[in-house]
mmCIF file of all heavy atoms in Angstrom:
data_model
loop_
_atom_site.group_PDB
_atom_site.id
_atom_site.type_symbol
_atom_site.label_atom_id
_atom_site.label_comp_id
_atom_site.label_asym_id
_atom_site.label_seq_id
_atom_site.Cartn_x
_atom_site.Cartn_y
_atom_site.Cartn_z
ATOM 1 N N MET V 1 45.527 -94.633 20.511
ATOM 2 C CA MET V 1 44.451 -93.726 19.854
ATOM 3 C C MET V 1 44.200 -92.582 20.698
ATOM 4 O O MET V 1 44.074 -91.407 20.260
ATOM 5 C CB MET V 1 43.112 -94.596 19.558
ATOM 6 C CG MET V 1 42.068 -93.830 18.932
ATOM 7 S SD MET V 1 42.403 -93.617 17.130
ATOM 8 C CE MET V 1 40.931 -92.771 16.663
ATOM 9 N N GLY V 40 16.690 -23.680 13.664
ATOM 10 C CA GLY V 40 16.301 -23.031 12.312
ATOM 11 C C GLY V 40 15.157 -22.224 12.332
ATOM 12 O O GLY V 40 14.522 -22.118 11.325
ATOM 13 N N VAL V 66 4.928 -2.887 -17.229
ATOM 14 C CA VAL V 66 5.866 -1.962 -16.804
ATOM 15 C C VAL V 66 5.982 -0.893 -17.814
ATOM 16 O O VAL V 66 6.187 -1.092 -19.008
ATOM 17 C CB VAL V 66 7.366 -2.490 -16.520
ATOM 18 C CG1 VAL V 66 8.184 -1.547 -15.972
ATOM 19 C CG2 VAL V 66 7.116 -3.646 -15.486
ATOM 20 N N LYS V 78 -3.934 -1.316 -18.104
ATOM 21 C CA LYS V 78 -4.608 -1.374 -19.269
ATOM 22 C C LYS V 78 -6.262 -1.122 -19.169
ATOM 23 O O LYS V 78 -6.873 -0.930 -20.214
ATOM 24 C CB LYS V 78 -4.449 -2.743 -19.970
ATOM 25 C CG LYS V 78 -2.866 -3.054 -20.282
ATOM 26 C CD LYS V 78 -2.726 -4.457 -20.785
ATOM 27 C CE LYS V 78 -1.235 -4.739 -20.943
ATOM 28 N NZ LYS V 78 -1.020 -6.160 -21.391
ATOM 29 N N HIS V 87 -12.352 -9.601 -6.059
ATOM 30 C CA HIS V 87 -12.272 -10.934 -5.519
ATOM 31 C C HIS V 87 -11.251 -11.835 -6.409
ATOM 32 O O HIS V 87 -10.807 -12.731 -5.833
ATOM 33 C CB HIS V 87 -13.767 -11.597 -5.682
ATOM 34 C CG HIS V 87 -14.651 -11.145 -4.449
ATOM 35 N ND1 HIS V 87 -14.622 -11.727 -3.329
ATOM 36 C CD2 HIS V 87 -15.573 -10.236 -4.479
ATOM 37 C CE1 HIS V 87 -15.443 -11.228 -2.470
ATOM 38 N NE2 HIS V 87 -16.159 -10.263 -3.183
ATOM 39 N N ARG V 98 5.534 -12.123 -2.454
ATOM 40 C CA ARG V 98 6.762 -12.939 -2.044
ATOM 41 C C ARG V 98 7.677 -13.202 -3.183
ATOM 42 O O ARG V 98 8.666 -13.923 -3.044
ATOM 43 C CB ARG V 98 6.244 -14.159 -1.400
ATOM 44 C CG ARG V 98 5.391 -15.075 -2.205
ATOM 45 C CD ARG V 98 4.875 -16.283 -1.366
ATOM 46 N NE ARG V 98 3.812 -16.858 -2.080
ATOM 47 C CZ ARG V 98 3.809 -18.011 -2.847
ATOM 48 N NH1 ARG V 98 5.105 -18.570 -2.963
ATOM 49 N NH2 ARG V 98 2.808 -18.540 -3.344
ATOM 50 N N TYR V 104 8.189 -9.274 -11.777
ATOM 51 C CA TYR V 104 7.084 -9.689 -10.938
ATOM 52 C C TYR V 104 7.096 -8.898 -9.677
ATOM 53 O O TYR V 104 6.068 -8.494 -9.259
ATOM 54 C CB TYR V 104 7.166 -11.241 -10.765
ATOM 55 C CG TYR V 104 7.379 -12.032 -11.899
ATOM 56 C CD1 TYR V 104 8.578 -12.568 -12.195
ATOM 57 C CD2 TYR V 104 6.379 -12.219 -12.907
ATOM 58 C CE1 TYR V 104 8.847 -13.299 -13.369
ATOM 59 C CE2 TYR V 104 6.619 -13.048 -14.029
ATOM 60 C CZ TYR V 104 7.921 -13.629 -14.236
ATOM 61 O OH TYR V 104 8.130 -14.291 -15.365
ATOM 62 N N GLU V 117 -5.307 1.613 -2.686
ATOM 63 C CA GLU V 117 -5.671 2.996 -2.719
ATOM 64 C C GLU V 117 -7.010 3.280 -3.387
ATOM 65 O O GLU V 117 -7.755 4.140 -3.003
ATOM 66 C CB GLU V 117 -4.633 3.771 -3.415
ATOM 67 C CG GLU V 117 -3.304 3.867 -2.716
ATOM 68 C CD GLU V 117 -2.139 4.582 -3.550
ATOM 69 O OE1 GLU V 117 -2.436 5.011 -4.610
ATOM 70 O OE2 GLU V 117 -1.010 4.563 -3.021
ATOM 71 N N LYS V 122 -14.763 -2.244 -1.957
ATOM 72 C CA LYS V 122 -14.578 -3.559 -2.520
ATOM 73 C C LYS V 122 -13.533 -4.463 -1.821
ATOM 74 O O LYS V 122 -13.549 -5.648 -2.021
ATOM 75 C CB LYS V 122 -14.056 -3.347 -3.944
ATOM 76 C CG LYS V 122 -15.073 -2.790 -5.002
ATOM 77 C CD LYS V 122 -14.428 -2.801 -6.339
ATOM 78 C CE LYS V 122 -15.466 -2.258 -7.389
ATOM 79 N NZ LYS V 122 -14.866 -2.229 -8.741
ATOM 80 N N LEU V 124 -13.118 -4.977 1.677
ATOM 81 C CA LEU V 124 -13.647 -5.593 2.842
ATOM 82 C C LEU V 124 -14.135 -7.020 2.561
ATOM 83 O O LEU V 124 -13.662 -7.955 3.235
ATOM 84 C CB LEU V 124 -14.632 -4.817 3.520
ATOM 85 C CG LEU V 124 -15.310 -5.444 4.820
ATOM 86 C CD1 LEU V 124 -14.303 -5.709 5.869
ATOM 87 C CD2 LEU V 124 -16.406 -4.585 5.387
ATOM 88 N N ARG V 141 9.674 -16.540 6.253
ATOM 89 C CA ARG V 141 10.666 -16.140 7.243
ATOM 90 C C ARG V 141 11.797 -15.362 6.517
ATOM 91 O O ARG V 141 12.922 -15.304 7.147
ATOM 92 C CB ARG V 141 11.076 -17.231 8.065
ATOM 93 C CG ARG V 141 9.960 -17.927 8.788
ATOM 94 C CD ARG V 141 10.291 -18.981 9.764
ATOM 95 N NE ARG V 141 9.143 -19.651 10.272
ATOM 96 C CZ ARG V 141 9.062 -20.686 11.031
ATOM 97 N NH1 ARG V 141 10.164 -21.066 11.606
ATOM 98 N NH2 ARG V 141 7.895 -21.164 11.433
ATOM 99 N N VAL V 145 10.932 -10.312 2.333
ATOM 100 C CA VAL V 145 9.524 -10.672 2.021
ATOM 101 C C VAL V 145 8.685 -10.174 3.126
ATOM 102 O O VAL V 145 7.594 -9.628 2.955
ATOM 103 C CB VAL V 145 9.391 -12.089 1.752
ATOM 104 C CG1 VAL V 145 7.855 -12.457 1.488
ATOM 105 C CG2 VAL V 145 10.238 -12.568 0.520
ATOM 106 N N ILE V 146 9.000 -10.395 4.381
ATOM 107 C CA ILE V 146 8.230 -10.080 5.522
ATOM 108 C C ILE V 146 8.001 -8.542 5.655
ATOM 109 O O ILE V 146 6.930 -8.058 5.830
ATOM 110 C CB ILE V 146 8.818 -10.694 6.840
ATOM 111 C CG1 ILE V 146 8.814 -12.149 6.834
ATOM 112 C CG2 ILE V 146 8.017 -10.095 8.065
ATOM 113 C CD1 ILE V 146 9.462 -12.762 8.098
ATOM 114 N N VAL V 148 8.090 -6.427 3.121
ATOM 115 C CA VAL V 148 7.206 -6.034 2.081
ATOM 116 C C VAL V 148 5.706 -6.234 2.546
ATOM 117 O O VAL V 148 4.821 -5.390 2.297
ATOM 118 C CB VAL V 148 7.496 -6.727 0.807
ATOM 119 C CG1 VAL V 148 6.263 -6.478 -0.285
ATOM 120 C CG2 VAL V 148 8.844 -6.326 0.246
ATOM 121 N N LYS V 152 2.385 -3.686 3.365
ATOM 122 C CA LYS V 152 1.112 -3.778 2.654
ATOM 123 C C LYS V 152 -0.130 -3.971 3.658
ATOM 124 O O LYS V 152 -1.177 -3.496 3.482
ATOM 125 C CB LYS V 152 1.199 -4.963 1.642
ATOM 126 C CG LYS V 152 2.051 -4.734 0.526
ATOM 127 C CD LYS V 152 1.780 -3.588 -0.249
ATOM 128 C CE LYS V 152 2.741 -3.266 -1.358
ATOM 129 N NZ LYS V 152 3.876 -2.437 -0.918
ATOM 130 N N MET V 162 -13.923 -0.880 8.726
ATOM 131 C CA MET V 162 -14.272 -2.327 9.261
ATOM 132 C C MET V 162 -13.189 -3.363 8.808
ATOM 133 O O MET V 162 -13.146 -4.452 9.156
ATOM 134 C CB MET V 162 -15.628 -2.801 8.754
ATOM 135 C CG MET V 162 -16.700 -1.913 9.228
ATOM 136 S SD MET V 162 -16.858 -1.759 11.045
ATOM 137 C CE MET V 162 -17.467 -3.503 11.380
ATOM 138 N N LEU V 167 -9.942 -8.315 10.293
ATOM 139 C CA LEU V 167 -8.698 -9.075 10.406
ATOM 140 C C LEU V 167 -8.511 -9.728 11.794
ATOM 141 O O LEU V 167 -7.652 -10.711 11.921
ATOM 142 C CB LEU V 167 -7.580 -8.107 10.187
ATOM 143 C CG LEU V 167 -7.236 -7.766 8.658
ATOM 144 C CD1 LEU V 167 -6.152 -6.718 8.742
ATOM 145 C CD2 LEU V 167 -6.875 -8.885 7.823
ATOM 146 N N ASN V 179 5.407 -12.559 16.395
ATOM 147 C CA ASN V 179 5.925 -12.788 17.639
ATOM 148 C C ASN V 179 7.397 -13.352 17.574
ATOM 149 O O ASN V 179 8.188 -13.045 18.483
ATOM 150 C CB ASN V 179 5.051 -13.859 18.379
ATOM 151 C CG ASN V 179 5.424 -14.116 19.883
ATOM 152 O OD1 ASN V 179 5.695 -13.140 20.529
ATOM 153 N ND2 ASN V 179 5.310 -15.313 20.316
ATOM 154 N N ASN V 183 11.265 -9.030 18.558
ATOM 155 C CA ASN V 183 12.494 -8.537 19.242
ATOM 156 C C ASN V 183 13.759 -8.875 18.489
ATOM 157 O O ASN V 183 14.821 -8.733 19.202
ATOM 158 C CB ASN V 183 12.409 -9.056 20.638
ATOM 159 C CG ASN V 183 11.201 -8.629 21.418
ATOM 160 O OD1 ASN V 183 10.902 -7.394 21.436
ATOM 161 N ND2 ASN V 183 10.493 -9.468 22.199
ATOM 162 N N GLY V 189 26.476 -2.288 15.725
ATOM 163 C CA GLY V 189 27.642 -1.666 16.351
ATOM 164 C C GLY V 189 27.624 -0.169 16.212
ATOM 165 O O GLY V 189 26.662 0.516 16.526
ATOM 166 N N TYR V 194 20.983 1.957 7.741
ATOM 167 C CA TYR V 194 20.377 2.626 6.652
ATOM 168 C C TYR V 194 18.915 1.971 6.534
ATOM 169 O O TYR V 194 18.060 2.592 5.913
ATOM 170 C CB TYR V 194 21.054 2.473 5.409
ATOM 171 C CG TYR V 194 22.243 3.310 5.402
ATOM 172 C CD1 TYR V 194 23.552 2.679 5.559
ATOM 173 C CD2 TYR V 194 22.324 4.704 5.180
ATOM 174 C CE1 TYR V 194 24.701 3.392 5.604
ATOM 175 C CE2 TYR V 194 23.423 5.483 5.190
ATOM 176 C CZ TYR V 194 24.643 4.778 5.377
ATOM 177 O OH TYR V 194 25.785 5.494 5.362
ATOM 178 N N PRO V 230 2.608 -11.842 23.953
ATOM 179 C CA PRO V 230 2.511 -11.416 25.338
ATOM 180 C C PRO V 230 3.368 -10.094 25.673
ATOM 181 O O PRO V 230 3.000 -9.434 26.621
ATOM 182 C CB PRO V 230 3.027 -12.662 26.062
ATOM 183 C CG PRO V 230 2.849 -13.857 25.231
ATOM 184 C CD PRO V 230 3.118 -13.257 23.793
#
Side-chain angles (χ1 to χ4, degrees):
M1 181 76 179
V66 181
K78 301 175 184 178
H87 280 280
R98 56 191 167 94
Y104 312 105
E117 288 173 5
K122 290 184 177 182
L124 180 60
R141 302 185 188 180
V145 174
I146 295 175
V148 171
K152 295 300 177 276
M162 304 295 293
L167 286 171
N179 190 38
N183 297 316
Y194 291 101

